[in-house]
Amino acid sequence: MASGQGAVVEVSAPASQRVQAVVDAVRFAFGLESAYWDDPAAFRTHDAVYDHFRQGFSPDLAAAMTAHVLGGDGDVATWVPEQVHVVELEASQALVWFPTPASFGRAGLWDLADYMHVHLRREGAHWVVDWAKDRSAPPVR
């Protein structure tokens, strides 16, 4: 199937399926770091790590995640959110939010605000996380 056909199928799908595809993409992307730490030796090169993160993140975020896991101190920077709220969903972009767990929040490891706002964009037939920012409240639309 050509990548354009995948986008047509996605856009013509019922709203609930489109929303679920975005939710699944967020959970997939935010689970990539954990998958890396399950077996870091499986990723023998910098490019292999980058390619792993590119499955769910934009080039810039994939590069940042690669640098984090290869040069960091082992602190986990992401988590798989239990609940993802889709605020905006268009054919080529989406905005979602989810609560920050206490372990990553103000009293936790990363001192993040209470909510994560995540923007996704379409790349061919799938969604990738384009940016993520911590905020004190959910987005208002």
Side-chain angles (χ1 to χ4, degrees):
M1 173 181 354
S3 62
Q5 291 174 329
V8 171
V9 170
E10 176 70 22
V11 170
S12 64
S16 62
Q17 288 178 354
R18 292 179 28 228
V19 167
Q20 189 61 51
V22 169
V23 169
D24 292 346
V26 169
R27 288 188 174 135
F28 174 77
F30 279 74
L32 289 169
E33 184 181 11
S34 177
Y36 169 84
W37 287 117
D38 285 347
D39 188 9
F43 303 91
R44 297 178 179 244
T45 67
H46 178 278
D47 288 346
V49 176
Y50 175 80
D51 290 345
H52 175 69
F53 286 113
R54 266 301 275 140
Q55 295 177 88
F57 292 102
S58 68
D60 290 344
L61 286 179
M65 289 302 299
T66 299
H68 169 73
V69 299
L70 294 179
D73 56 12
D75 286 343
V76 177
T78 60
W79 64 92
V80 177
E82 290 184 29
Q83 48 181 294
V84 176
H85 304 272
V86 179
V87 176
E88 191 176 288
L89 177 55
E90 298 175 14
S92 62
Q93 64 181 356
L95 178 64
V96 307
W97 69 269
F98 48 86
T100 301
S103 60
F104 287 83
R106 293 291 182 213
L109 182 65
W110 289 96
D111 190 29
L112 297 174
D114 292 336
Y115 302 92
M116 291 300 298
H117 294 202
V118 178
H119 184 266
L120 296 93
R121 65 178 163 79
R122 298 284 294 181
E123 277 191 2
H126 70 280
W127 293 99
V128 296
V129 174
D130 194 34
W131 56 256
K133 299 176 182 175
D134 62 311
R135 298 287 189 240
S136 60
V140 177
R141 296 279 183 215

